[in-house]
Amino acid sequence: MRADRLVALVLLLRRRGRMTATELAGELDVSTRTVLRDIEALSTAGVPVYADRGRYGGFSLLPGFRTELTGLTHDEALALLVVASGRGRDVLGLASPLASGMRKIIDALPEDHQATLDQTARRLLVEPAADLISRRVVAEDLADGVMAEVRRAVLTGHRLRFDYAAPGATSRSRTVDPIGLVTVRGRTYLLATRDGEDRTYRLSRMACAEVLSEPADRPAPVDLDRIWWADPVL
């Protein structure tokens, strides 16, 4: 959403000071033309953004400018909960809302804490891509839109239809009642029931996915640990 992007742009300028349009575009995953339009929109709304010309130029906020930011989006709150549980960071398609949510949290910290936050963070490493006894984790290759649709089905409690190819088999359409998502060493799995039986599906083997209008028939509450260890498919 554009409103979220405008907030993120202001927070980036507050935290880092002067930034070029190219740098902002890279952080926000948009084009430089979009950044320039957003800068113009902020100026029109009264946010004191100004441009410095020349080789070392860029965009900045007037010193001391602050804005009140209240509330987190659903996905930002969800991303923070995932991180707090210690079970993931750049998983379940939540990397972007996580970055946005963390920028809001950092902006709310006292300024003396903000000044040392970056250097402190560099001294902590959690779940590296490879360790001394394991091979490097290879990034999961998912078909476009699969993660978002599966996650939406799990969170909204609706049935899910997808095309799935098990090892050595041709792709077939499956309709399931989604229960939850599990990530293990860079791979993401859907736990679901099909015809009343527990099933586990690897998202990288889904060619496409679609949330259906029918509500899912699933247990509440749910114990993902028990279901996973009863039938893990790695």
Side-chain angles (χ1 to χ4, degrees):
M1 293 179 61
R2 192 186 188 199
D4 286 342
R5 191 174 68 243
L6 293 177
V7 168
L9 195 156
V10 171
L11 293 179
L12 283 168
L13 292 178
R14 271 191 38 79
R15 185 181 177 197
R16 300 189 187 179
R18 185 182 296 113
M19 295 182 68
T20 67
T22 300
E23 290 170 336
L24 288 166
E27 288 287 342
L28 300 172
D29 196 25
V30 296
S31 67
T32 54
R33 179 174 296 183
T34 297
V35 168
L36 295 177
R37 286 199 299 263
D38 288 350
I39 292 289
E40 182 178 356
L42 288 171
S43 298
T44 301
V47 178
V49 183
Y50 65 93
D52 290 318
R53 306 296 179 183
R55 181 178 178 184
Y56 300 104
F59 296 100
S60 306
L61 293 171
L62 286 176
F65 172 76
R66 292 191 64 86
T67 183
E68 292 298 325
L69 298 171
T70 58
L72 294 173
T73 68
H74 175 271
D75 277 352
E76 287 169 357
L78 179 61
L80 295 175
L81 287 174
V82 170
V83 172
S85 73
R87 298 192 179 198
R89 299 181 310 286
D90 190 7
V91 296
L92 305 182
L94 296 171
S96 179
L98 170 60
S100 176
M102 292 308 295
R103 280 195 292 266
K104 290 181 180 180
I105 290 177
I106 290 170
D107 190 71
L109 294 174
E111 291 188 5
D112 58 335
H113 289 189
Q114 293 183 30
T116 60
L117 186 62
D118 280 339
Q119 290 303 316
T120 301
R122 293 176 188 274
R123 296 184 179 275
L124 303 174
L125 178 62
V126 180
E127 294 289 348
D131 56 42
L132 297 178
I133 61 174
S134 302
R135 292 178 296 177
R136 176 171 291 274
V137 176
V138 179
E140 193 171 37
D141 185 18
L142 302 182
D144 291 343
V146 164
M147 176 64 80
E149 284 295 284
V150 174
R151 190 179 70 223
R152 187 158 68 92
V154 169
L155 298 181
T156 61
H158 285 83
R159 304 193 79 195
L160 180 73
R161 181 168 57 222
F162 52 87
D163 290 344
Y164 190 83
T170 57
S171 178
R172 294 177 54 192
S173 178
R174 314 283 178 90
T175 299
V176 303
D177 296 300
I179 296 175
L181 286 166
V182 176
T183 61
V184 180
R185 293 198 55 76
R187 295 174 178 174
T188 307
Y189 301 86
L190 169 68
L191 304 186
T193 60
R194 184 166 177 258
D195 298 328
E197 299 291 332
D198 289 339
R199 294 287 186 268
T200 303
Y201 301 96
R202 187 185 299 181
L203 266 63
S204 60
R205 293 175 180 162
M206 296 181 184
C208 59
E210 177 189 7
V211 179
L212 303 180
S213 60
E214 306 99 287
D217 181 12
R218 60 185 188 178
V222 64
D223 185 347
L224 292 182
D225 281 330
R226 181 193 62 77
I227 298 173
W228 172 255
W229 288 111
D231 185 30
V233 178
L234 301 178

